[in-house]
Amino acid sequence: MPLISIIIPVYNSEKTLNRCVNSILNQTFMDWELLLVDDGSTDHSLDIIKGYAERDSRIKFFSRENRGLLPTRLQELQLCTGLHL
């Protein structure tokens, strides 16, 4: 079980997603999981997310129809296994 869970809802974020995920990957603290929940993006965000998940086992992704930020965050909280801070 990771010490912390980092949860990021994603919606049409292809222009900023690499920068966001890379900033997490470049940290020295390594005991984490990253949950990326694609909320029905219509750009290439899901492809980017899948690529990261294939390269790093700490990254998990989920995809669903667009339901908005609050339902996405609630789903992410149910999926994470680290501490809820």
Side-chain angles (χ1 to χ4, degrees):
M1 178 186 323
L3 182 59
I4 63 170
S5 296
I6 304 163
I7 54 177
I8 301 174
V10 176
Y11 180 74
N12 290 344
S13 303
E14 70 179 342
K15 293 181 180 179
T16 58
L17 191 54
N18 286 316
R19 182 174 171 207
C20 176
V21 175
N22 287 336
S23 71
I24 295 165
L25 291 171
N26 289 329
Q27 299 300 311
T28 56
F29 183 79
M30 303 296 285
D31 192 10
W32 50 262
E33 69 176 346
L34 174 58
L35 301 174
L36 298 165
V37 177
D38 179 68
D39 192 30
S41 293
T42 57
D43 63 1
H44 295 285
S45 295
L46 184 56
D47 296 329
I48 295 168
I49 291 170
K50 287 179 180 178
Y52 279 108
E54 289 173 2
R55 293 189 301 271
D56 193 317
S57 63
R58 298 172 297 173
I59 299 175
K60 298 171 182 68
F61 78 93
F62 305 90
S63 181
R64 62 186 200 154
E65 291 182 19
N66 182 271
R67 293 191 339 204
L69 184 59
L70 183 58
T72 301
R73 290 209 186 251
L74 291 174
Q75 180 182 9
E76 290 173 334
L77 286 173
Q78 293 171 352
L79 298 170
C80 64
T81 59
L83 295 175
H84 295 83
L85 301 176

